[in-house]
Amino acid sequence: MRVFVTGGTGAIGRHAIPALVGAGHTVTALARTPAKAAALAEQGAAAVTVSLYDRGALAEAFEGYDAVVNLATAIPPMWRFMSSKAWAENRRVRSEGSAVVVYAALEAGVGRLIQESVAMVYHDCGGSWIDESAPVDDYPLAQSNFAAEANTHLFTAAGGIGVVLRFGWFYGPGATHSEQLLAMARRHVGMVLGPAEGYVSSVHVADAGEAVAASLHAPAGTYNVVDDEPMTKRDYAEAVARAAGSDLWVRGPGRGALLFGDALTSLTRSLRVSNGRFKEATGWAPRHPRAFA
């Protein structure tokens, strides 16, 4: 296939590009700087410089492509999670940007659209397993993800094949938040957000990249992309410490994080998410089945 990728130099994109190229696809991606264009070239992809919000230019760039993969995000660092202003650009990318991508892809006659979303949109389900039929929670930070998902479903309704990938917490090379957690662990501090017995559903960025390539063969719909075995937050913090070669002297804020309400709700809830539907649809399986293992 001929595949066009937005967000190709981001956390997942830098792994999705080689996965797509390795699977035999011809890949082009957006690049905002010469350095990013050079990085794409080293991975075997062509680079195009165009605004994510320029529908006409995007439609022209998408001409002749079989699939568009929208991985564009602007997620702030963890220390700015509490700031609504820090999320403004990500909200625009996920809502306005995804709409522009969808309409440009439809105008260009693209047959398939892949949209990045997150598994943190589900309600807290304690220790129960969560599949794609589980209820979601329309809290403030989730709204832009739902906008992107709705735009993808619009693409399907217009005759295309729209696929939403709900990814778990990212870890591995280039995953900024996991690198921040590792840095804290090296200082003997373990981040436990919410009850320690609650679950974290994560996925290695390399596995996420392979999932993007696998999704080119998935039927239209929504899929969870996470590790096989979610970990409790206590075990997750310990796994980070082992990866950092450190012992934890401090763990927190635990249940205290619940006091911050919607600002941290995507991180404090317990989410034991299943990847069964995506595995059955594509044959994909994570190669890093345990976080930080």
mmCIF file of all heavy atoms in Angstrom, residues 229-273:
data_model
loop_
_atom_site.group_PDB
_atom_site.id
_atom_site.type_symbol
_atom_site.label_atom_id
_atom_site.label_comp_id
_atom_site.label_asym_id
_atom_site.label_seq_id
_atom_site.Cartn_x
_atom_site.Cartn_y
_atom_site.Cartn_z
ATOM 1 N N GLU A 229 -0.930 -8.347 29.601
ATOM 2 C CA GLU A 229 -1.188 -8.418 31.035
ATOM 3 C C GLU A 229 -1.022 -7.049 31.682
ATOM 4 O O GLU A 229 0.086 -6.634 31.990
ATOM 5 C CB GLU A 229 -0.243 -9.422 31.700
ATOM 6 C CG GLU A 229 -0.460 -10.864 31.285
ATOM 7 C CD GLU A 229 -1.786 -11.411 31.803
ATOM 8 O OE1 GLU A 229 -2.298 -10.872 32.810
ATOM 9 O OE2 GLU A 229 -2.317 -12.353 31.200
ATOM 10 N N PRO A 230 -2.117 -6.323 31.901
ATOM 11 C CA PRO A 230 -2.014 -5.055 32.633
ATOM 12 C C PRO A 230 -1.414 -5.289 34.023
ATOM 13 O O PRO A 230 -1.563 -6.378 34.601
ATOM 14 C CB PRO A 230 -3.473 -4.591 32.732
ATOM 15 C CG PRO A 230 -4.160 -5.275 31.593
ATOM 16 C CD PRO A 230 -3.488 -6.613 31.471
ATOM 17 N N MET A 231 -0.751 -4.273 34.550
ATOM 18 C CA MET A 231 -0.098 -4.372 35.853
ATOM 19 C C MET A 231 -0.808 -3.474 36.860
ATOM 20 O O MET A 231 -1.393 -2.460 36.489
ATOM 21 C CB MET A 231 1.364 -3.944 35.740
ATOM 22 C CG MET A 231 2.174 -4.733 34.729
ATOM 23 S SD MET A 231 3.867 -4.109 34.559
ATOM 24 C CE MET A 231 4.578 -4.683 36.099
ATOM 25 N N THR A 232 -0.737 -3.856 38.143
ATOM 26 C CA THR A 232 -1.222 -2.937 39.154
ATOM 27 C C THR A 232 -0.269 -1.748 39.220
ATOM 28 O O THR A 232 0.894 -1.840 38.810
ATOM 29 C CB THR A 232 -1.300 -3.584 40.543
ATOM 30 O OG1 THR A 232 0.022 -3.902 40.989
ATOM 31 C CG2 THR A 232 -2.171 -4.835 40.514
ATOM 32 N N LYS A 233 -0.750 -0.646 39.725
ATOM 33 C CA LYS A 233 0.087 0.555 39.786
ATOM 34 C C LYS A 233 1.282 0.362 40.720
ATOM 35 O O LYS A 233 2.358 0.904 40.479
ATOM 36 C CB LYS A 233 -0.763 1.750 40.195
ATOM 37 C CG LYS A 233 -1.832 2.034 39.149
ATOM 38 C CD LYS A 233 -2.620 3.287 39.407
ATOM 39 C CE LYS A 233 -3.644 3.448 38.279
ATOM 40 N NZ LYS A 233 -4.365 4.728 38.343
ATOM 41 N N ARG A 234 1.078 -0.441 41.752
ATOM 42 C CA ARG A 234 2.195 -0.773 42.644
ATOM 43 C C ARG A 234 3.276 -1.532 41.876
ATOM 44 O O ARG A 234 4.465 -1.200 41.936
ATOM 45 C CB ARG A 234 1.693 -1.619 43.816
ATOM 46 C CG ARG A 234 2.790 -2.033 44.787
ATOM 47 C CD ARG A 234 2.268 -3.006 45.830
ATOM 48 N NE ARG A 234 1.260 -2.394 46.688
ATOM 49 C CZ ARG A 234 -0.043 -2.672 46.646
ATOM 50 N NH1 ARG A 234 -0.521 -3.546 45.739
ATOM 51 N NH2 ARG A 234 -0.893 -2.090 47.474
ATOM 52 N N ASP A 235 2.845 -2.566 41.126
ATOM 53 C CA ASP A 235 3.809 -3.363 40.366
ATOM 54 C C ASP A 235 4.441 -2.552 39.243
ATOM 55 O O ASP A 235 5.619 -2.748 38.905
ATOM 56 C CB ASP A 235 3.125 -4.597 39.784
ATOM 57 C CG ASP A 235 2.760 -5.626 40.846
ATOM 58 O OD1 ASP A 235 3.303 -5.528 41.968
ATOM 59 O OD2 ASP A 235 1.938 -6.517 40.550
ATOM 60 N N TYR A 236 3.662 -1.654 38.660
ATOM 61 C CA TYR A 236 4.189 -0.816 37.579
ATOM 62 C C TYR A 236 5.316 0.063 38.102
ATOM 63 O O TYR A 236 6.381 0.178 37.464
ATOM 64 C CB TYR A 236 3.065 0.042 37.010
ATOM 65 C CG TYR A 236 3.384 0.708 35.690
ATOM 66 C CD1 TYR A 236 3.122 0.069 34.486
ATOM 67 C CD2 TYR A 236 3.937 1.992 35.646
ATOM 68 C CE1 TYR A 236 3.389 0.685 33.271
ATOM 69 C CE2 TYR A 236 4.214 2.605 34.431
ATOM 70 C CZ TYR A 236 3.934 1.950 33.254
ATOM 71 O OH TYR A 236 4.218 2.556 32.059
ATOM 72 N N ALA A 237 5.120 0.695 39.259
ATOM 73 C CA ALA A 237 6.158 1.533 39.847
ATOM 74 C C ALA A 237 7.412 0.724 40.155
ATOM 75 O O ALA A 237 8.547 1.180 39.933
ATOM 76 C CB ALA A 237 5.636 2.203 41.112
ATOM 77 N N GLU A 238 7.221 -0.510 40.642
ATOM 78 C CA GLU A 238 8.370 -1.366 40.932
ATOM 79 C C GLU A 238 9.090 -1.765 39.648
ATOM 80 O O GLU A 238 10.327 -1.853 39.615
ATOM 81 C CB GLU A 238 7.908 -2.616 41.689
ATOM 82 C CG GLU A 238 7.376 -2.345 43.087
ATOM 83 C CD GLU A 238 8.449 -1.849 44.049
ATOM 84 O OE1 GLU A 238 9.643 -2.030 43.762
ATOM 85 O OE2 GLU A 238 8.077 -1.262 45.089
ATOM 86 N N ALA A 239 8.333 -2.011 38.576
ATOM 87 C CA ALA A 239 8.942 -2.364 37.295
ATOM 88 C C ALA A 239 9.775 -1.200 36.745
ATOM 89 O O ALA A 239 10.857 -1.411 36.186
ATOM 90 C CB ALA A 239 7.862 -2.758 36.292
ATOM 91 N N VAL A 240 9.269 0.010 36.911
ATOM 92 C CA VAL A 240 10.034 1.185 36.484
ATOM 93 C C VAL A 240 11.333 1.273 37.276
ATOM 94 O O VAL A 240 12.407 1.539 36.723
ATOM 95 C CB VAL A 240 9.204 2.471 36.655
ATOM 96 C CG1 VAL A 240 10.050 3.697 36.326
ATOM 97 C CG2 VAL A 240 7.975 2.446 35.761
ATOM 98 N N ALA A 241 11.255 1.028 38.580
ATOM 99 C CA ALA A 241 12.444 1.093 39.423
ATOM 100 C C ALA A 241 13.482 0.054 39.005
ATOM 101 O O ALA A 241 14.677 0.348 38.936
ATOM 102 C CB ALA A 241 12.055 0.894 40.888
ATOM 103 N N ARG A 242 13.021 -1.164 38.696
ATOM 104 C CA ARG A 242 13.960 -2.202 38.250
ATOM 105 C C ARG A 242 14.629 -1.794 36.947
ATOM 106 O O ARG A 242 15.831 -1.999 36.760
ATOM 107 C CB ARG A 242 13.233 -3.536 38.085
ATOM 108 C CG ARG A 242 12.853 -4.208 39.391
ATOM 109 C CD ARG A 242 12.439 -5.651 39.171
ATOM 110 N NE ARG A 242 11.269 -5.771 38.324
ATOM 111 C CZ ARG A 242 10.016 -5.729 38.780
ATOM 112 N NH1 ARG A 242 9.781 -5.570 40.070
ATOM 113 N NH2 ARG A 242 8.994 -5.865 37.947
ATOM 114 N N ALA A 243 13.835 -1.223 36.029
ATOM 115 C CA ALA A 243 14.401 -0.779 34.756
ATOM 116 C C ALA A 243 15.415 0.339 34.963
ATOM 117 O O ALA A 243 16.387 0.453 34.208
ATOM 118 C CB ALA A 243 13.286 -0.306 33.825
ATOM 119 N N ALA A 244 15.209 1.136 36.008
ATOM 120 C CA ALA A 244 16.133 2.237 36.308
ATOM 121 C C ALA A 244 17.309 1.775 37.153
ATOM 122 O O ALA A 244 18.235 2.558 37.410
ATOM 123 C CB ALA A 244 15.388 3.353 37.038
ATOM 124 N N GLY A 245 17.293 0.523 37.593
ATOM 125 C CA GLY A 245 18.365 0.011 38.444
ATOM 126 C C GLY A 245 18.368 0.659 39.807
ATOM 127 O O GLY A 245 19.427 0.924 40.381
ATOM 128 N N SER A 246 17.168 0.882 40.354
ATOM 129 C CA SER A 246 17.047 1.643 41.586
ATOM 130 C C SER A 246 16.068 0.982 42.539
ATOM 131 O O SER A 246 15.296 0.094 42.154
ATOM 132 C CB SER A 246 16.585 3.067 41.259
ATOM 133 O OG SER A 246 16.394 3.832 42.420
ATOM 134 N N ASP A 247 16.095 1.413 43.795
ATOM 135 C CA ASP A 247 15.100 1.036 44.786
ATOM 136 C C ASP A 247 14.231 2.248 45.085
ATOM 137 O O ASP A 247 14.721 3.391 45.088
ATOM 138 C CB ASP A 247 15.762 0.567 46.090
ATOM 139 C CG ASP A 247 16.542 -0.719 45.910
ATOM 140 O OD1 ASP A 247 16.066 -1.594 45.155
ATOM 141 O OD2 ASP A 247 17.634 -0.837 46.503
ATOM 142 N N LEU A 248 12.968 2.010 45.341
ATOM 143 C CA LEU A 248 12.072 3.116 45.642
ATOM 144 C C LEU A 248 12.054 3.400 47.141
ATOM 145 O O LEU A 248 11.804 2.511 47.956
ATOM 146 C CB LEU A 248 10.653 2.786 45.158
ATOM 147 C CG LEU A 248 10.479 2.600 43.645
ATOM 148 C CD1 LEU A 248 9.016 2.334 43.316
ATOM 149 C CD2 LEU A 248 10.987 3.815 42.882
ATOM 150 N N TRP A 249 12.320 4.658 47.472
ATOM 151 C CA TRP A 249 12.248 5.094 48.863
ATOM 152 C C TRP A 249 10.916 5.805 49.139
ATOM 153 O O TRP A 249 10.439 5.820 50.261
ATOM 154 C CB TRP A 249 13.403 6.053 49.182
ATOM 155 C CG TRP A 249 14.757 5.438 49.027
ATOM 156 C CD1 TRP A 249 15.055 4.106 48.900
ATOM 157 C CD2 TRP A 249 16.008 6.123 48.981
ATOM 158 N NE1 TRP A 249 16.403 3.913 48.766
ATOM 159 C CE2 TRP A 249 17.029 5.142 48.819
ATOM 160 C CE3 TRP A 249 16.385 7.453 49.048
ATOM 161 C CZ2 TRP A 249 18.372 5.471 48.727
ATOM 162 C CZ3 TRP A 249 17.725 7.790 48.967
ATOM 163 C CH2 TRP A 249 18.714 6.809 48.817
ATOM 164 N N VAL A 250 10.365 6.393 48.078
ATOM 165 C CA VAL A 250 9.122 7.142 48.203
ATOM 166 C C VAL A 250 8.158 6.687 47.112
ATOM 167 O O VAL A 250 8.555 6.551 45.955
ATOM 168 C CB VAL A 250 9.362 8.663 48.073
ATOM 169 C CG1 VAL A 250 8.043 9.418 48.164
ATOM 170 C CG2 VAL A 250 10.333 9.152 49.133
ATOM 171 N N ARG A 251 6.898 6.441 47.475
ATOM 172 C CA ARG A 251 5.855 6.106 46.512
ATOM 173 C C ARG A 251 4.658 7.026 46.746
ATOM 174 O O ARG A 251 4.217 7.176 47.878
ATOM 175 C CB ARG A 251 5.419 4.647 46.658
ATOM 176 C CG ARG A 251 6.507 3.622 46.393
ATOM 177 C CD ARG A 251 6.039 2.229 46.826
ATOM 178 N NE ARG A 251 7.047 1.214 46.602
ATOM 179 C CZ ARG A 251 8.070 0.978 47.413
ATOM 180 N NH1 ARG A 251 8.217 1.696 48.517
ATOM 181 N NH2 ARG A 251 8.954 0.031 47.133
ATOM 182 N N GLY A 252 4.159 7.607 45.703
ATOM 183 C CA GLY A 252 3.019 8.506 45.914
ATOM 184 C C GLY A 252 2.591 9.164 44.622
ATOM 185 O O GLY A 252 3.193 8.934 43.566
ATOM 186 N N PRO A 253 1.537 9.979 44.674
ATOM 187 C CA PRO A 253 0.733 10.330 45.850
ATOM 188 C C PRO A 253 -0.368 9.323 46.174
ATOM 189 O O PRO A 253 -1.151 9.553 47.088
ATOM 190 C CB PRO A 253 0.117 11.671 45.446
ATOM 191 C CG PRO A 253 -0.048 11.554 43.964
ATOM 192 C CD PRO A 253 1.139 10.752 43.481
ATOM 193 N N GLY A 254 -0.468 8.203 45.438
ATOM 194 C CA GLY A 254 -1.470 7.189 45.729
ATOM 195 C C GLY A 254 -2.885 7.737 45.639
ATOM 196 O O GLY A 254 -3.228 8.484 44.724
ATOM 197 N N ARG A 255 -3.713 7.388 46.640
ATOM 198 C CA ARG A 255 -5.105 7.827 46.625
ATOM 199 C C ARG A 255 -5.238 9.347 46.691
ATOM 200 O O ARG A 255 -6.260 9.911 46.300
ATOM 201 C CB ARG A 255 -5.867 7.186 47.792
ATOM 202 C CG ARG A 255 -6.047 5.686 47.622
ATOM 203 C CD ARG A 255 -6.778 5.082 48.819
ATOM 204 N NE ARG A 255 -6.921 3.643 48.666
ATOM 205 C CZ ARG A 255 -7.918 3.042 48.029
ATOM 206 N NH1 ARG A 255 -8.885 3.790 47.513
ATOM 207 N NH2 ARG A 255 -7.976 1.735 47.920
ATOM 208 N N GLY A 256 -4.192 10.013 47.175
ATOM 209 C CA GLY A 256 -4.220 11.474 47.250
ATOM 210 C C GLY A 256 -4.390 12.114 45.886
ATOM 211 O O GLY A 256 -4.913 13.232 45.779
ATOM 212 N N ALA A 257 -3.956 11.423 44.831
ATOM 213 C CA ALA A 257 -4.087 11.970 43.479
ATOM 214 C C ALA A 257 -5.547 12.129 43.069
ATOM 215 O O ALA A 257 -5.864 12.932 42.195
ATOM 216 C CB ALA A 257 -3.354 11.079 42.476
ATOM 217 N N LEU A 258 -6.438 11.374 43.713
ATOM 218 C CA LEU A 258 -7.860 11.466 43.391
ATOM 219 C C LEU A 258 -8.420 12.848 43.723
ATOM 220 O O LEU A 258 -9.428 13.274 43.154
ATOM 221 C CB LEU A 258 -8.651 10.400 44.152
ATOM 222 C CG LEU A 258 -8.287 8.932 43.852
ATOM 223 C CD1 LEU A 258 -9.038 8.004 44.792
ATOM 224 C CD2 LEU A 258 -8.595 8.582 42.404
ATOM 225 N N LEU A 259 -7.764 13.558 44.639
ATOM 226 C CA LEU A 259 -8.233 14.883 45.041
ATOM 227 C C LEU A 259 -8.135 15.897 43.910
ATOM 228 O O LEU A 259 -8.794 16.940 43.958
ATOM 229 C CB LEU A 259 -7.429 15.379 46.246
ATOM 230 C CG LEU A 259 -7.548 14.531 47.521
ATOM 231 C CD1 LEU A 259 -6.601 15.062 48.592
ATOM 232 C CD2 LEU A 259 -8.978 14.528 48.035
ATOM 233 N N PHE A 260 -7.327 15.601 42.893
ATOM 234 C CA PHE A 260 -7.161 16.534 41.778
ATOM 235 C C PHE A 260 -8.250 16.364 40.717
ATOM 236 O O PHE A 260 -8.263 17.094 39.725
ATOM 237 C CB PHE A 260 -5.774 16.358 41.145
ATOM 238 C CG PHE A 260 -4.666 16.771 42.061
ATOM 239 C CD1 PHE A 260 -3.964 15.841 42.812
ATOM 240 C CD2 PHE A 260 -4.310 18.111 42.177
ATOM 241 C CE1 PHE A 260 -2.941 16.214 43.664
ATOM 242 C CE2 PHE A 260 -3.284 18.500 43.020
ATOM 243 C CZ PHE A 260 -2.594 17.549 43.774
ATOM 244 N N GLY A 261 -9.136 15.413 40.916
ATOM 245 C CA GLY A 261 -10.312 15.272 40.053
ATOM 246 C C GLY A 261 -9.975 15.049 38.589
ATOM 247 O O GLY A 261 -9.073 14.280 38.238
ATOM 248 N N ASP A 262 -10.718 15.771 37.722
ATOM 249 C CA ASP A 262 -10.607 15.568 36.280
ATOM 250 C C ASP A 262 -9.222 15.858 35.727
ATOM 251 O O ASP A 262 -8.849 15.353 34.670
ATOM 252 C CB ASP A 262 -11.627 16.441 35.540
ATOM 253 C CG ASP A 262 -13.040 15.894 35.662
ATOM 254 O OD1 ASP A 262 -13.179 14.694 35.973
ATOM 255 O OD2 ASP A 262 -13.997 16.662 35.447
ATOM 256 N N ALA A 263 -8.444 16.669 36.420
ATOM 257 C CA ALA A 263 -7.113 17.012 35.919
ATOM 258 C C ALA A 263 -6.220 15.780 35.805
ATOM 259 O O ALA A 263 -5.337 15.722 34.948
ATOM 260 C CB ALA A 263 -6.451 18.054 36.820
ATOM 261 N N LEU A 264 -6.457 14.784 36.665
ATOM 262 C CA LEU A 264 -5.631 13.569 36.636
ATOM 263 C C LEU A 264 -6.465 12.294 36.445
ATOM 264 O O LEU A 264 -5.934 11.198 36.556
ATOM 265 C CB LEU A 264 -4.826 13.440 37.940
ATOM 266 C CG LEU A 264 -3.685 14.429 38.152
ATOM 267 C CD1 LEU A 264 -2.987 14.154 39.484
ATOM 268 C CD2 LEU A 264 -2.668 14.361 37.012
ATOM 269 N N THR A 265 -7.744 12.448 36.129
ATOM 270 C CA THR A 265 -8.607 11.266 36.097
ATOM 271 C C THR A 265 -8.156 10.226 35.077
ATOM 272 O O THR A 265 -8.365 9.035 35.271
ATOM 273 C CB THR A 265 -10.071 11.686 35.843
ATOM 274 O OG1 THR A 265 -10.917 10.559 36.083
ATOM 275 C CG2 THR A 265 -10.273 12.160 34.402
ATOM 276 N N SER A 266 -7.516 10.670 33.988
ATOM 277 C CA SER A 266 -7.056 9.699 32.991
ATOM 278 C C SER A 266 -5.936 8.819 33.531
ATOM 279 O O SER A 266 -5.676 7.739 32.997
ATOM 280 C CB SER A 266 -6.564 10.428 31.732
ATOM 281 O OG SER A 266 -5.429 11.214 32.018
ATOM 282 N N LEU A 267 -5.284 9.265 34.607
ATOM 283 C CA LEU A 267 -4.147 8.527 35.160
ATOM 284 C C LEU A 267 -4.471 7.826 36.474
ATOM 285 O O LEU A 267 -3.763 6.901 36.870
ATOM 286 C CB LEU A 267 -2.965 9.484 35.384
ATOM 287 C CG LEU A 267 -2.489 10.275 34.158
ATOM 288 C CD1 LEU A 267 -1.351 11.207 34.542
ATOM 289 C CD2 LEU A 267 -2.054 9.333 33.043
ATOM 290 N N THR A 268 -5.517 8.270 37.163
ATOM 291 C CA THR A 268 -5.803 7.706 38.479
ATOM 292 C C THR A 268 -6.747 6.506 38.438
ATOM 293 O O THR A 268 -6.771 5.702 39.366
ATOM 294 C CB THR A 268 -6.422 8.771 39.406
ATOM 295 O OG1 THR A 268 -7.591 9.318 38.785
ATOM 296 C CG2 THR A 268 -5.420 9.891 39.686
ATOM 297 N N ARG A 269 -7.530 6.363 37.385
ATOM 298 C CA ARG A 269 -8.503 5.276 37.361
ATOM 299 C C ARG A 269 -7.844 3.911 37.128
ATOM 300 O O ARG A 269 -6.703 3.827 36.656
ATOM 301 C CB ARG A 269 -9.563 5.541 36.286
ATOM 302 C CG ARG A 269 -9.025 5.742 34.903
ATOM 303 C CD ARG A 269 -10.118 6.230 33.958
ATOM 304 N NE ARG A 269 -10.775 7.432 34.464
ATOM 305 C CZ ARG A 269 -11.925 7.910 34.007
ATOM 306 N NH1 ARG A 269 -12.553 7.301 33.022
ATOM 307 N NH2 ARG A 269 -12.447 8.992 34.528
ATOM 308 N N SER A 270 -8.559 2.857 37.480
ATOM 309 C CA SER A 270 -8.078 1.492 37.278
ATOM 310 C C SER A 270 -8.621 0.979 35.956
ATOM 311 O O SER A 270 -9.835 0.890 35.758
ATOM 312 C CB SER A 270 -8.562 0.590 38.427
ATOM 313 O OG SER A 270 -8.157 -0.754 38.209
ATOM 314 N N LEU A 271 -7.712 0.611 35.045
ATOM 315 C CA LEU A 271 -8.101 0.198 33.695
ATOM 316 C C LEU A 271 -7.376 -1.092 33.324
ATOM 317 O O LEU A 271 -6.198 -1.079 32.954
ATOM 318 C CB LEU A 271 -7.770 1.308 32.690
ATOM 319 C CG LEU A 271 -8.472 2.655 32.927
ATOM 320 C CD1 LEU A 271 -7.936 3.707 31.973
ATOM 321 C CD2 LEU A 271 -9.979 2.505 32.763
ATOM 322 N N ARG A 272 -8.083 -2.188 33.420
ATOM 323 C CA ARG A 272 -7.539 -3.501 33.051
ATOM 324 C C ARG A 272 -8.084 -3.833 31.663
ATOM 325 O O ARG A 272 -9.079 -4.529 31.507
ATOM 326 C CB ARG A 272 -7.944 -4.543 34.079
ATOM 327 C CG ARG A 272 -7.178 -5.846 33.973
ATOM 328 C CD ARG A 272 -7.671 -6.836 35.015
ATOM 329 N NE ARG A 272 -6.843 -8.030 35.062
ATOM 330 C CZ ARG A 272 -7.139 -9.115 35.772
ATOM 331 N NH1 ARG A 272 -8.265 -9.142 36.495
ATOM 332 N NH2 ARG A 272 -6.334 -10.163 35.748
ATOM 333 N N VAL A 273 -7.402 -3.320 30.648
ATOM 334 C CA VAL A 273 -7.923 -3.312 29.284
ATOM 335 C C VAL A 273 -7.459 -4.541 28.499
ATOM 336 O O VAL A 273 -6.294 -4.935 28.567
ATOM 337 C CB VAL A 273 -7.490 -2.018 28.556
ATOM 338 C CG1 VAL A 273 -8.028 -1.984 27.130
ATOM 339 C CG2 VAL A 273 -7.979 -0.789 29.332
#
